[in-house]
Each structure stands twice: as structure tokens, then as C-alpha cells.
Amino acid sequence: MDLGYVLPLVGESPAFGHPDLPVIASALRAARESNTARLWMMGAHVIKMGASRHIIDLLRNGWISHLAVNGACTIHDYELARIGATTESVARYIRSGEFGLWEETGLINDWACEAASAGLGLGEYIGRRILESDYPHRDVSILAAAYEASVPVSVHIGVGYDITHEHPNCNGAALGETSYRDFLIYTHAVERLEGGVMLSFGSAIMGPEVYLKALSMARNVAHQQGRRIADFTTAVFDLIPIEGDYHKELPKTDPGYYFRPHKTILVRTVADGGRSYYICGDHRATIPALRQVLSAGEAS
């Protein structure tokens, strides 16, 4: 996957339509006007589908107040900025024991150590380093654009999930410290979710699980202060079809019960007054479509 696959802002995007996109856009518009949370959580597949420029445009126009990603997102974002390409042939390189062992990508581990020493989160530090670099394609870096726009980015790693964890310069303590700091930053953002929006794109585990714990923490504090965090909108954008009414939890006998975005984001966390929506489709089509709806609303 290289820069040629990254979608332009102007030009042909895969056709996509859904009746709930204007509803989600309206919720985002209301949240932006009231300065409540506009949380965007995503997995790395979103970047591989070429949506980076569209996400950068959303960041710059205030549609996203906090971006939460997994470790793989930082890798794809960094590689695109530095060399204009990302991904590798797992089938080929796992046979020779070379999968993931690229010297250039391992620099992220050094940055994690620097971030820990500086008392910063991983997302903020990586975004700053890419923005300040001389990488030829840093204009397609989501993390750099977020840093430039003063939008917090939290990186939620899982130890052993990412190719950088294979490298001899990987420091688990630094990764843990900086990623945990990012989790607390994300939880602080969730405190402003009343009247806001939480969107999850292609994240089957990280998105729903991190959001679940952060919301529990935020609601615990809100309860002690006599406040509620219940009136907000959630939406999941993913590829897996959900049969029937996605506002209801499936029985444990149904394999779909274990699809966390469904039961966590669409059902359980909005049970006290929130609204949820499910958009099934390729991120290469759904994200540009959402941005187009938002842009059309701005123009009108």
C-alpha cells in the first residue's frame, strides 16, 4: 500500500449512502457547537484503506476533539510519512523470520523512551516528531496533523501486538508508561461525553474495550458529583453485517454476541438515554461519505 492508494479530498471516492449518516453528522455538528466530546476511535485498517487525508480534514475542521488509535495505526502513519508506503508480505517474511523487523520502523521505540523521559503521552510525542521531521510525506500523517491542530491523540497498545515489539530497542516500561498516560488522557476526554459523540471505526477490541473502562471511570466520578453521562450518540463503522435490530443484545448462543462493538458501543453504554447507529461498509467508502455529508452541511 503506497501513497497512490491514499484517497484525495477532491475526486472520485467509492459511492456510499446510508440514511443514518446525516443523523450522525447532525449529532457531530451539535457537539461541535456545544464543545462537547467528539471522540474518534479506530483500528489500523482505516489507514490502509487510504482514508488519511479525509481524517486530517475532519481534524482541522473541528469534527474530532480526540483521536484514539492502536499501536498499528502509529506504524502505518509513520511509515507513510517517512517512505510513502506501508504494509509488507506477512506470508513471505514470516517464513524467513524477517516479518516486522525493519530498522526504520523501530525508531518508534526510541521515541517511546523519549516520551516517557519527557512525561508525555505516546500519541502526542509521535505526532510532534513526525511534524518536526523532514519526512517527505508528513502531510499525510494523521498524528502530525492532530498535533498541529492541538487535538489529543491517545495510543492504546497491547504488548506483543505490534511489529515494533520484536525489536531489541523495545522498552516495555516506556511503552506501558506512555500508553497508560494516553489512556488517562482519553478518559479525561470521555468526561465531556454528555451531549457528545463517540465514533468507532474498524476496531473490534481496542475501541470498545478502552471506551468501556474509560466510561466507567468517568461515570463513577460524575455520580459522586451528582452528574450524569448518559445523553450522547455512538456509532460503529465496520464490515461485519449485524442481522436484525442492532439496538438489542444477541443471546450468548449467537456468535455475534462476541462482537464487542455491538454489545458494548451500540447497546450497553447507551442504555440510559443515548442513541446508537451502525454503518456497515468499507472504510474507503464510509469515511469520505461521512465527510461529504458534514461538508455539505457546512456549505448550506
Side-chain angles (χ1 to χ4, degrees), residues 187-200:
T187 302
H188 183 61
V190 172
E191 287 189 297
R192 296 173 48 237
L193 190 53
E194 178 73 6
V197 180
M198 199 291 283
L199 307 179
S200 178

Side-chain angles (χ1 to χ4, degrees), residues 49-171:
M49 286 296 99
S52 293
R53 290 191 178 100
H54 288 265
I55 296 170
I56 289 170
D57 185 73
L58 293 168
L59 283 165
R60 289 173 174 166
N61 284 285
W63 298 114
I64 301 171
S65 65
H66 184 101
L67 179 65
V69 302
N70 60 11
C73 280
T74 67
I75 292 169
H76 291 312
D77 190 77
Y78 163 86
E79 289 182 343
L80 278 174
R82 182 166 179 175
I83 65 172
T86 188
T87 76
E88 59 184 297
S89 173
V90 180
R92 172 185 174 184
Y93 290 113
I94 192 60
R95 295 174 67 184
S96 60
E98 294 176 281
F99 168 61
L101 294 169
W102 313 112
E103 181 179 355
E104 293 86 352
T105 309
L107 180 63
I108 293 175
N109 288 328
D110 293 338
W111 286 357
C113 293
E114 294 169 11
S117 297
L120 299 174
L122 193 57
E124 176 182 359
Y125 195 76
I126 293 175
R128 190 183 91 188
R129 288 303 301 265
I130 294 175
L131 181 66
E132 295 175 349
S133 74
D134 60 356
Y135 296 160
H137 312 293
R138 62 186 181 276
D139 61 300
V140 297
S141 168
I142 297 171
L143 271 69
Y147 182 83
E148 188 174 38
S150 298
V151 175
V153 178
S154 53
V155 181
H156 306 274
I157 67 162
V159 175
Y161 276 24
D162 303 318
I163 60 172
T164 49
H165 304 166
E166 303 175 46
H167 292 235
N169 68 335
C170 181
N171 185 318

Side-chain angles (χ1 to χ4, degrees), residues 214-289:
L215 181 61
S216 181
M217 292 166 68
R219 279 178 166 168
N220 185 289
V221 172
H223 178 74
Q224 295 177 57
Q225 297 174 343
R227 298 184 294 107
R228 296 179 76 236
I229 304 176
D231 181 14
F232 57 85
T233 299
T234 67
V236 173
F237 293 68
D238 217 309
L239 296 169
I240 298 175
I242 299 178
E243 302 296 333
D245 185 359
Y246 60 76
H247 296 105
K248 296 180 180 179
E249 194 170 312
L250 296 171
K252 290 184 178 180
T253 53
D254 190 319
Y257 170 83
Y258 300 96
F259 182 50
R260 288 173 174 84
H262 181 186
K263 64 182 178 182
T264 298
I265 301 175
L266 300 178
V267 182
R268 292 179 176 177
T269 57
V270 293
D272 295 325
R275 297 151 301 282
S276 64
Y277 304 92
Y278 186 64
I279 308 296
C280 184
D282 191 319
H283 305 304
R284 190 170 175 82
T286 61
I287 291 175

